[in-house]
Amino acid sequence: MLLTIGLAAMCLSVAVGILCRAFPRTSAPVPFTTYVQFAAMAGIFAMGSTVMYLVHAYGGGKPALVVADATMVMAPGFMLVAVSALTDRKRGVVVGVVSAAATAVGGCTAVLPADGSLAIKAAVLTLICGGCALVAGLSPTLDRLPALLLAGAMGAYTLYTGARALVAVTTGWSGAVGALFRSMEVGSAVAMVIVLVCSAAVILSLRPSARATVTGPREFGVVVIGDAKLLAAASGGERLRRLVAELRAAAHALDDRAVNVRHGVATSLPSALDTLTDQMQNSFGWAPEEVALLVEDGDPSGSPGAV
């Protein structure tokens, strides 16, 4: 029971930590990258699942267990979406499949005996966590260390849930082995380790990349506010700061490796100027004269992070 309470507190800390790391890097109207959105939602689902297991343990009845099992499937499912770097259409399909799987698991918990529903949940989690481990290891959106941490954690949980499913269909939950894999204390301890590793991976992946400098690698394009001094003199420094902040927010929302430079941003986005021009016009509502200020600069002056 203490492990379950500790896991609930940890999941809450993870969700809050991810959001606190993400918010300082964002600015409306593009508040999050897709990765951060779905990673944060995965943390929230993990927290919700653990809280509902706690409610069930304290007499919450079967409805609490149904919700707990369903959201337990949603957590790794949304992490799979987070690391997949899919198009909007494909992402919607995967979210639909994950939601259907979670609903099915919840339905099985509602109508089947506990032993049967536990086996089904373990099998579904094995498939989803295995897919997440594979995709995370090959993810083009993450640096190597967080990708390996996520892949390792999800791979380890795949082995655990796979072993649970295997025990369920072979020896059953009776006996020493069955009791071990059915134990809530053991399950909570394993989940706690997995949550710790996954949260560390997500927090690491939210760090600004240190691999690009002001003279950055050739694959980084630099987009800045042209004639910044003239703009500040004509319209005031506040307007310049606003435009620079919004330009950086748009770049960071599309590229986790974007790095601030003087009066703009260095980004690995393909066709960076065209991409950000479209973003500023359509998402931030820049006027044509503001969009026209954007220029590519191959040798920006100043230091990273300077206004």
Side-chain angles (χ1 to χ4, degrees):
M1 184 58 62
L2 288 176
L3 280 172
T4 305
I5 295 173
L7 184 57
M10 184 182 300
C11 290
L12 176 61
S13 300
V14 169
V16 171
I18 291 172
L19 292 174
C20 288
R21 285 286 297 175
F23 269 119
R25 297 186 57 203
T26 60
S27 174
V30 185
F32 291 108
T33 63
T34 299
Y35 168 75
V36 174
Q37 283 180 323
F38 282 92
M41 285 188 282
I44 292 169
F45 278 125
M47 176 192 69
S49 175
T50 307
V51 169
M52 293 311 295
Y53 280 125
L54 193 58
V55 170
H56 171 69
Y58 277 101
K62 207 159 193 178
L65 183 60
V66 169
V67 175
D69 283 351
T71 49
M72 187 176 184
V73 173
M74 294 292 282
F78 271 53
M79 186 58 73
L80 170 61
V81 177
V83 299
S84 294
L86 300 171
T87 62
D88 288 345
R89 183 176 181 179
K90 291 181 180 178
R91 189 184 308 122
V93 171
V94 176
V95 169
V97 171
V98 168
S99 300
T103 302
V105 168
C108 291
T109 301
V111 301
L112 295 179
D115 289 354
S117 63
L118 181 57
I120 292 172
K121 181 182 71 173
V124 172
L125 284 172
T126 300
L127 293 175
I128 293 177
C129 292
C132 186
L134 180 62
V135 174
L138 302 174
S139 175
T141 64
L142 298 179
D143 290 333
R144 193 61 181 161
L145 179 57
L148 289 177
L149 284 174
L150 275 176
M154 287 291 99
Y157 203 62
T158 299
L159 294 177
Y160 174 71
T161 56
R164 284 185 117 187
L166 183 62
V167 167
V169 299
T170 54
T171 63
W173 301 115
S174 59
V177 175
L180 177 66
F181 280 100
R182 203 182 196 284
S183 168
M184 178 174 289
E185 288 74 17
V186 173
S188 296
V190 172
M192 188 174 292
V193 174
I194 299 303
V195 168
L196 273 173
V197 177
C198 287
S199 62
V202 173
I203 296 297
L204 282 173
S205 67
L206 292 175
R207 295 185 309 169
S209 176
R211 288 178 296 175
T213 64
V214 66
T215 56
R218 291 183 181 273
E219 64 267 21
F220 274 73
V222 178
V223 178
V224 299
I225 303 294
D227 295 325
K229 292 182 179 179
L230 182 61
L231 175 65
S235 303
E238 183 60 33
R239 186 187 183 198
L240 173 61
R241 284 189 290 272
R242 176 183 66 82
L243 295 179
V244 171
E246 291 182 351
L247 173 62
R248 290 171 176 171
H252 284 296
L254 297 172
D255 177 15
D256 287 335
R257 295 178 175 85
V259 177
N260 295 343
V261 299
R262 186 171 179 79
H263 297 147
V265 66
T267 173
S268 58
L269 288 171
S271 304
L273 180 60
D274 292 339
T275 301
L276 289 175
T277 295
D278 179 72
Q279 186 77 355
M280 305 324 296
Q281 184 173 9
N282 296 323
S283 296
F284 284 80
W286 279 22
E289 62 272 15
E290 293 175 324
V291 173
L293 294 170
L294 294 178
V295 296
E296 280 190 312
D297 188 350
D299 184 23
S301 59
S303 59
V307 176

